[in-house]
Amino acid sequence: MLPVDIGLRGEADLLTRWSLVWRKNKAILGLVGSRCQKVRNPAVPSAADLRQPCLWRRGCHGGLPFADKKGKILSYTGDMLAASYDPPELYGYVEMDGGGRLMCNFTDCTLQDLKVGAPVTLTFRKKYYDPQRDIHGYFWKALPRRRWHKWQPGSAIK
């Protein structure tokens, strides 16, 4: 099998910063955000990590998990110029049930499968491979929920 050539855009150095992964392991690996206790707004990533007004930093309590929440597509795009093994690269904003927005990639779908308002779940998938350091990077991706045909013995799947 021939190696895939993803062009000059794919030559970016994907340096994995292990100190950052260690410091932010709950946010990165567990997709844990926060909720402001004054205005009750959830935030992913945690609002305490962002450059938000003092209102957020003082009244912000972390530990709000988003990995198990469902959401809907707020916006999306199919980027034909991004370095991708299977163009177009699909990404956009997902609005989580109960509040909070997350920009992420979409997986296991085509551009035609994506619609604004369509339901999604989050899944932990491989994001990149860094061949110089032999590191596989993972993060959360949005998986559009489909209506699967309920199979019963003796029935054909259409």
Short mmCIF file of all heavy atoms in Angstrom, two decimals, residues 14-17 125-130 135-138 141:
data_model
loop_
_atom_site.label_atom_id
_atom_site.label_comp_id
_atom_site.label_asym_id
_atom_site.label_seq_id
_atom_site.Cartn_x
_atom_site.Cartn_y
_atom_site.Cartn_z
N LEU A 14 3.48 18.41 15.09
CA LEU A 14 2.44 18.18 16.09
C LEU A 14 3.06 17.85 17.43
O LEU A 14 2.95 16.73 17.94
CB LEU A 14 1.51 17.05 15.63
CG LEU A 14 0.82 17.29 14.29
CD1 LEU A 14 0.11 16.04 13.83
CD2 LEU A 14 -0.13 18.45 14.39
N LEU A 15 3.73 18.81 17.99
CA LEU A 15 4.43 18.60 19.25
C LEU A 15 3.43 18.39 20.38
O LEU A 15 2.60 19.24 20.66
CB LEU A 15 5.32 19.80 19.55
CG LEU A 15 6.10 19.76 20.86
CD1 LEU A 15 7.08 18.59 20.86
CD2 LEU A 15 6.86 21.06 21.05
N THR A 16 3.49 17.24 21.00
CA THR A 16 2.63 16.94 22.15
C THR A 16 3.33 17.44 23.40
O THR A 16 4.42 17.00 23.73
CB THR A 16 2.37 15.42 22.25
OG1 THR A 16 1.75 14.99 21.05
CG2 THR A 16 1.48 15.11 23.43
N ARG A 17 2.69 18.34 24.09
CA ARG A 17 3.25 18.91 25.31
C ARG A 17 2.74 18.12 26.50
O ARG A 17 1.63 18.34 26.98
CB ARG A 17 2.89 20.38 25.41
CG ARG A 17 3.64 21.19 24.37
CD ARG A 17 3.06 22.57 24.19
NE ARG A 17 3.85 23.33 23.25
CZ ARG A 17 3.75 23.23 21.92
NH1 ARG A 17 2.92 22.37 21.39
NH2 ARG A 17 4.50 23.99 21.13
N ARG A 125 -11.61 9.75 20.39
CA ARG A 125 -11.00 9.16 19.20
C ARG A 125 -9.59 9.68 18.98
O ARG A 125 -9.19 10.70 19.52
CB ARG A 125 -11.83 9.51 17.96
CG ARG A 125 -13.23 8.97 17.96
CD ARG A 125 -13.23 7.47 17.72
NE ARG A 125 -14.55 6.91 17.75
CZ ARG A 125 -15.30 6.70 16.70
NH1 ARG A 125 -14.86 7.01 15.50
NH2 ARG A 125 -16.49 6.17 16.84
N LYS A 126 -8.89 8.98 18.12
CA LYS A 126 -7.54 9.39 17.74
C LYS A 126 -7.62 10.66 16.91
O LYS A 126 -8.40 10.75 15.96
CB LYS A 126 -6.89 8.27 16.93
CG LYS A 126 -5.46 8.52 16.58
CD LYS A 126 -4.90 7.30 15.89
CE LYS A 126 -3.47 7.46 15.51
NZ LYS A 126 -2.95 6.26 14.87
N LYS A 127 -6.82 11.64 17.29
CA LYS A 127 -6.82 12.93 16.60
C LYS A 127 -5.64 13.05 15.63
O LYS A 127 -5.77 13.57 14.55
CB LYS A 127 -6.78 14.04 17.64
CG LYS A 127 -6.78 15.42 17.09
CD LYS A 127 -8.09 16.09 17.28
CE LYS A 127 -7.94 17.55 16.93
NZ LYS A 127 -9.15 18.10 16.47
N TYR A 128 -4.46 12.57 16.05
CA TYR A 128 -3.28 12.67 15.20
C TYR A 128 -2.24 11.65 15.63
O TYR A 128 -2.34 11.04 16.70
CB TYR A 128 -2.68 14.08 15.25
CG TYR A 128 -2.15 14.47 16.61
CD1 TYR A 128 -0.85 14.16 16.99
CD2 TYR A 128 -2.95 15.12 17.53
CE1 TYR A 128 -0.36 14.50 18.24
CE2 TYR A 128 -2.47 15.47 18.78
CZ TYR A 128 -1.18 15.15 19.12
OH TYR A 128 -0.71 15.48 20.36
N TYR A 129 -1.25 11.49 14.78
CA TYR A 129 -0.09 10.67 15.09
C TYR A 129 1.15 11.51 14.85
O TYR A 129 1.30 12.13 13.80
CB TYR A 129 -0.06 9.41 14.22
CG TYR A 129 1.21 8.61 14.39
CD1 TYR A 129 1.50 8.00 15.60
CD2 TYR A 129 2.13 8.50 13.36
CE1 TYR A 129 2.65 7.27 15.78
CE2 TYR A 129 3.29 7.77 13.52
CZ TYR A 129 3.55 7.16 14.73
OH TYR A 129 4.71 6.44 14.91
N ASP A 130 2.03 11.56 15.83
CA ASP A 130 3.27 12.31 15.75
C ASP A 130 4.40 11.31 15.50
O ASP A 130 4.87 10.66 16.43
CB ASP A 130 3.49 13.07 17.07
CG ASP A 130 4.77 13.89 17.08
OD1 ASP A 130 5.51 13.87 16.08
OD2 ASP A 130 5.04 14.54 18.11
N ILE A 135 3.97 9.26 19.04
CA ILE A 135 2.88 9.56 19.98
C ILE A 135 1.56 9.61 19.22
O ILE A 135 1.46 10.25 18.17
CB ILE A 135 3.13 10.91 20.68
CG1 ILE A 135 4.36 10.81 21.56
CG2 ILE A 135 1.92 11.34 21.49
CD1 ILE A 135 4.79 12.12 22.16
N HIS A 136 0.57 8.94 19.76
CA HIS A 136 -0.79 9.01 19.23
C HIS A 136 -1.57 9.98 20.11
O HIS A 136 -1.66 9.78 21.32
CB HIS A 136 -1.46 7.63 19.26
CG HIS A 136 -0.76 6.63 18.42
ND1 HIS A 136 -1.12 6.38 17.13
CD2 HIS A 136 0.30 5.82 18.68
CE1 HIS A 136 -0.33 5.44 16.62
NE2 HIS A 136 0.55 5.10 17.55
N GLY A 137 -2.13 11.03 19.51
CA GLY A 137 -2.90 12.03 20.26
C GLY A 137 -4.38 11.76 20.14
O GLY A 137 -4.89 11.47 19.06
N TYR A 138 -5.09 11.83 21.25
CA TYR A 138 -6.53 11.56 21.28
C TYR A 138 -7.27 12.77 21.82
O TYR A 138 -6.75 13.53 22.62
CB TYR A 138 -6.83 10.36 22.19
CG TYR A 138 -6.34 9.05 21.63
CD1 TYR A 138 -5.02 8.66 21.77
CD2 TYR A 138 -7.19 8.22 20.94
CE1 TYR A 138 -4.56 7.47 21.26
CE2 TYR A 138 -6.75 7.02 20.41
CZ TYR A 138 -5.43 6.65 20.59
OH TYR A 138 -4.99 5.48 20.07
N LYS A 141 -14.41 13.80 19.84
CA LYS A 141 -15.00 14.15 18.55
C LYS A 141 -16.51 13.95 18.64
O LYS A 141 -17.00 13.15 19.44
CB LYS A 141 -14.44 13.27 17.43
CG LYS A 141 -12.97 13.52 17.15
CD LYS A 141 -12.51 12.71 15.96
CE LYS A 141 -11.05 12.99 15.65
NZ LYS A 141 -10.62 12.31 14.42
#
